[in-house]
Amino acid sequence: MDQDYYEILQVSRSATDSEIKNAYRRLALKFHPSNNKEPESLRIFSELGEAYDVLCDSLRKATYDIYGEKGLKGGLDWSSKYSYHGNPEKTFRQFFGADMPFSDFYADDAPLKFAGLTPEVVKVQDPPIEKELHLTLDDLFHGRMKKVMISRRVMNEDGCTYSNKDKILTIHVQPGWNEGTRIVFPREGDQGTNIIPADIIFIVREKSHPLFVRQGDDLIYKTQISLLMALTCFSVTVKTLDSRELNIPINEIVHPSYKKVVPGEGMPLFEERTRRGNLILVFDINFPGKLSVRRRQLITQALLFKK
């Protein structure tokens, strides 16, 4: 059976990057062998390291979310096989960096070994680099694989000089992502001798669509109708984002604030892929600019009724 990395870290599948980091920080400190002598602590600490190593990386996380542990470790056509390096202490040290816990076990610049934990040269990570990722409504409806090129400074093999090199980052856009969703690529910034490369964070920005306006998980569709249509029955044909045609009958009188809600025809829900938001039809009623006396009389007669 596949491991449930979310369950190991005690977070939901919709957890944000910050929630995943906070969960790992709390649990890794609790079960670290230097802090916990229970027989199971070493196994749990190792599982926490692997779970965080997967979920902190946007590509691994996306692959795991869709294909599970088997797909992640078996490899796919567009990704290599994933294998945890098996050193939870390394994951622990990389995570805490300059804020390394258990620092009381080091004194006078001479490290004291404790439960296999030895200090490394403390480096400070550069602040994150944020970039906007502009996606269409179709991208966010269907999901897609998007490749983005970045340019960064890379240390040469001599360990002293640098070169600027391009790198392709692959983003697996998930159906139902919202405006503002953040995709983190850890340590993909410029390299340096005394720094930890910055995380690169892509922030989703939604492009406008010619037919629909997104409102949370709902899609708003606006159409123009005549006053005659507003007062009588008619139907509206809407071409959906998945290329179907919906014929929606309107059997009520359409007043200026009227809305027609079609359940389950909106955006897919990111947290529950089998569910969708609503399609909401709103109407712009074209009133005549002027009426002749005769037409006014006819309309008056048509609208008069006895109590």
Side-chain angles (χ1 to χ4, degrees), residues 192-292:
T193 53
N194 295 315
I195 63 170
I196 299 172
D199 294 344
I200 294 182
I201 302 175
F202 290 93
I203 304 173
V204 171
R205 295 290 178 246
E206 186 177 294
K207 297 179 181 179
S208 60
H209 191 274
L211 297 179
F212 300 103
V213 174
R214 185 178 183 181
Q215 191 175 83
D217 296 317
D218 297 333
L219 292 175
I220 311 298
Y221 180 85
K222 187 174 184 179
T223 184
Q224 290 189 341
I225 61 172
S226 66
L227 179 58
L228 176 62
M229 294 170 68
L231 297 175
T232 59
C233 298
F234 65 100
S235 63
V236 179
T237 300
V238 179
K239 186 172 182 179
T240 65
L241 291 172
D242 52 359
S243 300
R244 291 177 296 118
E245 285 195 353
L246 301 178
N247 189 266
I248 304 164
I250 309 297
N251 298 319
E252 303 87 7
I253 292 176
V254 178
H255 50 78
S257 60
Y258 175 86
K259 294 179 180 179
K260 177 70 173 180
V261 178
V262 184
E265 291 293 348
M267 292 293 290
L269 276 62
F270 174 64
E271 298 177 4
E272 299 180 65
R273 303 292 175 81
T274 58
R275 294 182 55 202
R276 287 170 58 175
N278 299 323
L279 172 65
I280 302 175
L281 275 60
V282 297
F283 301 91
D284 183 9
I285 304 172
N286 291 326
F287 287 84
K290 60 182 180 179
L291 292 171
S292 67

Side-chain angles (χ1 to χ4, degrees), residues 8-69:
I8 291 171
L9 289 175
Q10 299 178 15
V11 296
S12 68
R13 298 188 74 86
S14 61
T16 63
D17 292 326
S18 177
E19 289 171 338
I20 290 171
K21 288 180 180 178
N22 288 338
Y24 176 76
R25 179 183 291 106
R26 174 175 58 83
L27 294 171
L29 288 172
K30 178 180 179 181
F31 291 101
H32 192 282
S34 297
N35 198 38
N36 191 319
K37 301 302 181 184
E38 294 295 325
E40 289 291 299
S41 64
L42 187 59
R43 176 187 62 79
I44 295 173
F45 182 67
S46 180
E47 290 178 351
L48 290 168
E50 180 174 345
Y52 179 73
D53 191 58
V54 171
L55 298 184
C56 74
D57 182 283
S58 60
L59 177 57
R60 294 173 194 158
K61 181 176 182 295
T63 305
Y64 172 74
D65 285 345
I66 299 172
Y67 301 102
E69 184 185 4

Side-chain angles (χ1 to χ4, degrees), residues 32-37 89 102 105-106 111-119:
H32 192 282
S34 297
N35 198 38
N36 191 319
K37 301 302 181 184
E89 291 280 12
F102 312 121
F105 298 107
Y106 304 93
L112 298 177
K113 294 185 178 181
F114 188 80
L117 185 65
T118 57

Side-chain angles (χ1 to χ4, degrees), residues 84-138:
Y84 183 53
H85 50 65
N87 186 352
E89 291 280 12
K90 178 180 177 181
T91 305
F92 186 82
R93 290 194 296 266
Q94 289 175 340
F95 178 87
F96 284 97
D99 297 321
M100 193 70 177
F102 312 121
S103 58
D104 290 342
F105 298 107
Y106 304 93
D108 299 327
D109 297 327
L112 298 177
K113 294 185 178 181
F114 188 80
L117 185 65
T118 57
E120 292 184 345
V121 176
V122 174
K123 296 181 180 181
V124 177
Q125 186 174 23
D126 282 346
I129 301 168
E130 295 187 349
K131 299 176 178 288
E132 292 189 339
L133 179 67
H134 294 274
L135 299 172
T136 66
L137 196 56
D138 293 271

